[in-house]
Amino acid sequence: DADVTQTPRNRITKTGKRIMLECSQTKGHDRMYWYRQDPGLGLRLIYYSFDVKDINKGEISDGYSVSRQAQAKFSLSLESAIPNQTALYFCATSDPTGTGKTYEQYFGPGTRLTVT
Amino acid sequence: QKEVEQDPGPLSVPEGAIVSLNCTYSNSAFQYFMWYRQYSRKGPELLMYTYSSGNKEDGRFTAQVDKSSKYISLFIRDSQPSDSATYLCAMSDTGGFKTIFGAGTRLFVKA
């Protein structure tokens, strides 16, 4: 089974709708991240959480909110979706206390979101 | 000015060619330099990482970091069609509190 899972994998929604993207991990990592990926712009950080009680805004947090329900779960919400939020969304985890590849981030398979 | 610049390509090469991928960055606080590989419809996966300046080799892949020029490179020798993917550079400060990613270079290796 995948260590970082995302649901749904694909979603089409209409402008103004509320939508939630979910991320679960079995790696036991404290740090979790939400990114969006757009052609030519790469990965841009939306929100990140270094532990269950810690939530921080990233580079492009406007229009998004998050919830860290447990160490293993980190959800991203679009309160009122708009077309320019059409993108590929990735969840990632990292474990800075681990040995070896300390700064490695482990990514989920992504959610392709289309807002019409 | 973006904190990291990476040419998005696409870059198309014949099988067996040597591939050079590059990024420049502006923040001197970065100490860890990484290359991620992303296949179509997949999440990025770490390919190599280097701490501070210098070279690191892993099979057909070599990563180079020149902190004085704020320039990092990834070389792929004897490129294979299976190397066709998007390659993202990334860099992080000590402690991993800030990590940024380049836009990614899309590579096609033709058989």
Side-chain angles (χ1 to χ4, degrees), chain A residues 101 103-104, chain B residues 32-37 45-51 54-65 72-77 87-91:
Chain A
K101 300 172 184 176
Y103 301 103
E104 178 175 6
Chain B
Y32 289 83
F33 302 91
M34 295 154 281
W35 287 95
Y36 283 78
R37 180 171 59 193
E45 290 184 302
L46 184 70
L47 182 63
M48 295 183 70
Y49 93 106
T50 307
Y51 175 71
N55 294 356
K56 188 171 186 178
E57 188 173 324
D58 184 0
R60 297 185 294 110
F61 299 89
T62 300
Q64 288 186 350
V65 176
I72 71 171
S73 302
L74 177 70
F75 297 96
I76 307 174
R77 292 185 300 279
Y87 291 80
L88 299 94
C89 63
M91 44 215 72

Side-chain angles (χ1 to χ4, degrees), chain A residues 41-109:
Chain A
L41 296 177
L43 287 166
R44 291 183 292 167
L45 184 63
I46 306 172
Y47 271 95
Y48 62 102
S49 171
F50 282 173
D51 65 42
V52 175
K53 297 180 181 179
D54 176 74
I55 301 288
N56 303 281
K57 293 182 178 180
E59 178 187 354
I60 52 162
S61 59
D62 287 349
Y64 301 94
S65 63
V66 291
S67 173
R68 184 82 184 265
Q69 300 94 327
Q71 185 200 40
K73 296 185 181 296
F74 193 34
S75 300
L76 176 72
S77 293
L78 286 68
E79 297 301 326
S80 180
I82 56 177
N84 77 0
Q85 291 177 315
T86 292
L88 192 54
Y89 289 84
F90 286 102
C91 174
T93 73
S94 71
D95 178 19
T97 62
T99 58
K101 300 172 184 176
T102 310
Y103 301 103
E104 178 175 6
Q105 292 192 15
Y106 299 82
F107 287 83

Side-chain angles (χ1 to χ4, degrees), chain B:
Chain B
Q1 180 187 8
K2 289 183 178 179
E3 284 193 282
V4 57
E5 299 276 0
Q6 181 177 12
D7 186 341
L11 180 62
S12 184
V13 301
E15 183 175 359
I18 296 174
V19 176
S20 173
L21 305 170
N22 311 289
C23 287
T24 59
Y25 64 96
S26 58
N27 190 337
S28 58
F30 295 133
Q31 296 288 338
Y32 289 83
F33 302 91
M34 295 154 281
W35 287 95
Y36 283 78
R37 180 171 59 193
Q38 183 179 15
Y39 290 114
S40 182
R41 300 184 184 278
K42 301 283 188 181
E45 290 184 302
L46 184 70
L47 182 63
M48 295 183 70
Y49 93 106
T50 307
Y51 175 71
S52 195
S53 285
N55 294 356
K56 188 171 186 178
E57 188 173 324
D58 184 0
R60 297 185 294 110
F61 299 89
T62 300
Q64 288 186 350
V65 176
D66 181 349
K67 290 189 69 180
S68 63
S69 301
K70 296 188 177 64
Y71 189 84
I72 71 171
S73 302
L74 177 70
F75 297 96
I76 307 174
R77 292 185 300 279
D78 187 25
S79 56
Q80 303 295 310
S82 59
D83 295 327
S84 297
T86 297
Y87 291 80
L88 299 94
C89 63
M91 44 215 72
S92 177
D93 60 359
T94 302
F97 296 107
K98 179 171 183 176
T99 301
I100 60 169
F101 290 83
T105 300
R106 192 159 185 191
L107 172 67
F108 295 97
V109 181
K110 300 172 293 184

